[in-house]
Each structure stands twice: as structure tokens, then as C-alpha cells.
Amino acid sequence: MDIHLRVTAGGIRALYLLVIAADLLLIAFTAAADVGVVVVNPAVDRHFDLTNEGVLAVWYSSALLLLTCMSGLFVAFRPGCGGWHRAAWLTVAVGFFALSADETAQLHEMVGHQMAARGAGASYAPASNPGFNWLMPAIPVGLVFGAALVWATREWHEAAPRSRMLAVTGLACWV
């Protein structure tokens, strides 16, 4: 079964603008919260602050990560994509799926707290927030994901140069 997805240039530009506007809005609310400024009211502002968990900003971020995962799957299974290129794109898709799931379910926070409770705390993790204990064990996974992302994006640019800006924009929004 072939899946064909056609998006007009205007549709892509509108999507860019929507995602960039939403990202800037969330960044502004997060920056305001960091300096103690209330934009609307504390209850509303909390849902647009990226440093909070279980709020609208987290669901938005998770949705972007899941859409990125799905895009990676579409690219991995496009005609002509095979071998190492397909493996790289599948790794990217799985990585973005894992990031989406983690963002929604707060998995790394639970792992970090469990590590601290079992005496595997790290000196770089503040005692007030042991959720950061997961950082060092995650480095190898992050390096594999990063390498696959670089390779896949480079391969994508060679196969479809007009998609380069979409890949760069997606990477910038993710970071």
C-alpha cells in the first residue's frame, strides 16, 4: 500500500508560521515565569510554561515530537529508501517516539527518582531534583539518536533538497 502525501508550498509555509508562533508564545510565557512576571493569571500562565509538567505546553511539545516520529516513518518507508538510510530514519522515528512518550509520561523523572532512591544518585543532580540522575546513563542512547538524526537529515537533503528547510526548522523547534 502506497501512501502519498502532497502538501502545497503555501501549506508548508502556513505550518512553519503556526509552529514558530506557538513556540515563540511558549518561550515568552516560560521567560516571563522565570523572571516572575504574570502575563494572564498564574493558573493560565502555568499551562504555557515549558518548565512545568502535565500542562498544555507539554502536550503541545509531545504532539510535535509524535508528528516528527510519524514523519520519520513516512520518510523511512518511501520508495527508494532502504538499507542504512531506512535504518537511520527508523532510529530517528523511534527516538522521537521515545521523546514524545517521555514528555507525556515523565519517564526520565521517574527513572531519576528511582536511581536516587536506590543510592545511584549523581553529583550533578541537585538533591532538590533527583530527576536529573538519568542524564549520564542516557548519553550513549542520545549519541546514537543524534548520529542517526544527522545522517538521516543529510540523506534526506540529498534525496529531496526542497525538504531541507523543513528538516532544519523541525530540528530547531525540537532543540
Side-chain angles (χ1 to χ4, degrees), residues 82-110:
W84 286 105
H85 298 300
R86 177 167 288 159
W89 276 106
L90 288 174
T91 302
V92 167
V94 168
F96 277 110
F97 178 79
L99 288 168
S100 177
D102 175 65
E103 187 75 12
T104 302
Q106 303 170 20
L107 300 173
H108 73 266
E109 287 87 353
M110 286 188 284

Side-chain angles (χ1 to χ4, degrees), residues 23-42:
D23 287 355
L24 290 174
L25 176 73
L26 295 178
I27 290 168
F29 270 86
T30 302
D34 286 347
V35 295
V37 173
V38 175
V39 178
V40 178
N41 72 49

Side-chain angles (χ1 to χ4, degrees), residues 35-59:
V35 295
V37 173
V38 175
V39 178
V40 178
N41 72 49
V44 172
D45 288 9
R46 180 181 179 288
H47 284 280
F48 293 95
D49 182 353
L50 290 163
T51 61
N52 291 322
E53 297 291 341
V55 296
L56 181 64
V58 169
W59 289 97

